[in-house]
Amino acid sequence: MATTSEPTPEFALAPYKERENDTLSERINEIRGVWGNRLVILGHHYQQDEVIIHSDLRGDSLRLSQLAADSRACRAIVFCGVHFMAETADILANRPDKLAERRGERVSVILPDMAAGCSMADMAQIDQVESAWEELGDWIDTKKLIPVTYINSTAALKAFCGRHQGIVCTSSNAERVLRWAFDQGERVFFFPDQHLGRNTAISMGIDPTQMPVWNPYADEAGGNTPDALRNSRVLLWKGHCSVHQMFTAAHVAQFREKFPDIKILVHPECPREVFEMADVSGSTAKIIDVVRQAPAGTQWAIGTELHLVNRLRQEHPEQEIHFLSPVVCMCATMYRIDLAHLCWSLENLNAATPVGKIEVDPEIATESLVALDRMLALS
Ligand code: 13P
Ligand code: SF4
């Protein structure tokens, strides 16, 4: 469980909400100037433009977790992302070897708005996971079941994976991680995103009929028959991303009909039928690379978060970029981090009354690190 310790803030949020963006940006730059390389602002690709321009480093979940682990001079990370990302940054930046290098001095990890959570991560609560594991023991040998959690999960779930010979994955390395998991055991329990788990396992040639979905709200056996569980290769947790779940096969078909040469490019958090109809799929970093490397004049319909697609459209006027859905699909929780929250959190950090401080419980951090290190060793 993550804990927060927040002394009474020197500065209240309300006045920052009233300020113009230029004024906020000016103050953000002043504070960054004072801190120099002791402060690192990290930004996920889905972050809105006015915020991301202030990030020192931007990336997908894997890259951001590696960057957090590599910080040397840094003493504070302000994470313009969501809660699980800040937890991961805290675990990696304050791991024992890094702490020893800094003679015990912790890196403060700040999430500018504590309400910036992830609905997918919230779909796999640790008590639900623990009771599912115990119940599964009635039908299969859980010693040969390897838990794999997407990085988009709570630190408590990562710790569970650390305790049970499991591992963390991201959308960039899910296939490599699943191969590792199958070297360790007979079958995998994949949390919390059923789509990433299913899409990756199908790409590896695993039979979709061997991927039952575990519904934590079902009365018994996660809503499955004992035979389905015994026959499984990958058990999928019933979780999804509310943003990527919005893209449908009908959207793909409409684009193909209107633009016969269009390339469909999607994130693997999209449902199976969308993933299967796409020309290319990959993490946010891969989506950016694929567009960068395409010849001018390429037509794209991209199925991932709106801010990233809009940014790609601005950065690549030589290409024709469409958003795959007619409705707005944006990460509403990440969007909570606006310039006002960023400026307000920096101001309080600067005044030594940090707000939005993320400090993972030490035992959870130690066990999570085991699962994260297994993944980082494969990267
Ligand atoms: P990646 O950045 O790993 O592609 O993940 C997308 C996402 O949903 C982040 O929350
Ligand atoms: Fe979570 Fe989806 Fe937002 Fe990513 S895009 S943080 S998975 S809700």
Side-chain angles (χ1 to χ4, degrees):
M1 195 186 11
T3 56
T4 54
S5 79
E6 297 192 357
T8 310
E10 176 79 24
F11 298 92
L13 175 62
Y16 291 84
K17 289 277 193 192
E18 303 302 318
R19 286 186 197 160
E20 298 291 334
N21 280 358
D22 286 354
T23 315
L24 292 167
S25 285
E26 211 174 294
R27 184 61 189 141
I28 289 168
N29 287 333
E30 273 171 18
I31 298 175
R32 288 176 74 196
V34 171
W35 278 68
N37 60 6
R38 288 179 304 131
L39 170 70
V40 175
I41 301 181
L42 295 178
H44 187 269
H45 290 307
Y46 293 163
Q47 197 54 255
Q48 52 191 304
D49 287 346
E50 64 195 42
V51 169
I52 202 117
I53 53 163
H54 289 290
S55 60
D56 297 292
L57 305 162
R58 67 175 88 162
D60 67 356
S61 307
L62 175 62
R63 180 155 162 75
L64 290 174
S65 62
Q66 287 166 329
L67 289 170
D70 288 348
S71 53
R72 279 192 164 263
C74 165
R75 292 296 177 271
I77 293 172
V78 175
F79 212 126
C80 300
V82 291
H83 193 270
F84 73 80
M85 297 177 186
E87 279 188 332
T88 306
D90 177 53
I91 294 164
L92 293 173
N94 292 308
R95 51 186 300 153
D97 50 316
K98 297 281 173 194
L99 272 180
E101 266 174 29
R102 296 190 299 265
R103 297 196 176 86
E105 200 183 335
R106 283 188 73 85
V107 169
S108 298
V109 177
I110 304 292
L111 183 64
D113 184 346
M114 286 299 276
C118 166
S119 52
M120 177 202 283
D122 293 344
M123 286 175 199
Q125 297 296 325
I126 190 60
D127 51 335
Q128 295 175 316
V129 170
E130 275 170 350
S131 42
W133 194 264
E134 206 181 308
E135 202 184 336
L136 273 169
D138 293 343
W139 297 287
I140 57 174
D141 182 358
T142 49
K143 290 203 185 63
K144 295 180 186 158
L145 176 64
I146 308 300
V148 175
T149 189
Y150 190 19
I151 199 160
N152 300 21
S153 56
T154 62
L157 179 46
K158 294 184 181 84
F160 175 90
C161 292
R163 279 199 299 283
H164 291 274
Q165 326 308 323
I167 188 166
V168 175
C169 77
T170 73
S171 53
S172 320
N173 61 19
E175 185 163 334
R176 213 173 320 149
V177 167
L178 279 193
R179 287 193 196 291
W180 175 91
F182 281 117
D183 285 343
Q184 321 299 313
E186 249 170 30
R187 63 186 117 220
V188 163
F189 202 170
F190 193 93
F191 309 94
D193 185 15
Q194 58 171 304
H195 300 303
L196 178 65
R198 186 181 294 109
N199 291 333
T200 310
I202 291 176
S203 304
M204 291 166 68
I206 298 171
D207 183 343
T209 64
Q210 291 186 299
M211 299 178 200
V213 176
W214 184 279
N215 177 0
Y217 297 99
D219 288 340
E220 212 193 4
N224 299 288
T225 61
D227 273 353
L229 297 175
R230 283 190 211 104
N231 188 37
S232 65
R233 300 278 332 275
V234 181
L235 268 157
L236 300 167
W237 189 262
K238 195 172 184 333
H240 63 265
C241 165
S242 43
V243 178
H244 292 92
Q245 174 105 335
M246 307 274 278
F247 299 105
T248 67
H251 297 150
V252 178
Q254 281 154 14
F255 268 107
R256 290 228 191 271
E257 200 188 322
K258 198 161 169 205
F259 305 96
D261 293 331
I262 202 146
K263 299 260 178 278
I264 309 290
L265 173 54
V266 303
H267 195 280
E269 288 174 19
C270 288
R272 180 184 168 195
E273 57 282 10
V274 174
F275 180 84
E276 282 181 343
M277 288 168 86
D279 297 290
V280 197
S281 66
S283 71
T284 51
K286 179 163 173 193
I287 289 173
I288 293 166
D289 274 359
V290 167
V291 172
R292 262 188 204 143
Q293 285 165 22
T298 309
Q299 292 177 322
W300 297 105
I302 306 183
T304 194
E305 208 270 350
L306 183 64
H307 290 93
L308 174 56
V309 180
N310 283 342
R311 189 171 309 123
L312 282 169
R313 197 184 283 131
Q314 280 163 21
E315 288 173 357
H316 296 279
E318 81 287 2
Q319 304 199 28
E320 189 182 320
I321 297 178
H322 302 267
F323 188 56
L324 182 56
S325 168
V327 295
V328 172
C329 307
M330 55 173 255
C331 184
T333 44
M334 201 174 295
Y335 188 66
R336 295 187 69 100
I337 297 179
D338 54 9
L339 271 191
H341 278 90
L342 177 58
C343 189
W344 168 69
S345 62
L346 285 170
E347 199 80 82
N348 278 300
L349 176 71
N350 197 39
T353 57
V355 287
K357 199 167 170 190
I358 303 290
E359 236 180 284
V360 177
D361 170 270
E363 203 177 318
I364 300 279
T366 304
E367 291 175 337
S368 299
L369 190 56
V370 173
L372 281 162
D373 271 344
R374 288 184 185 128
M375 172 188 80
L376 291 169
L378 298 178
S379 297

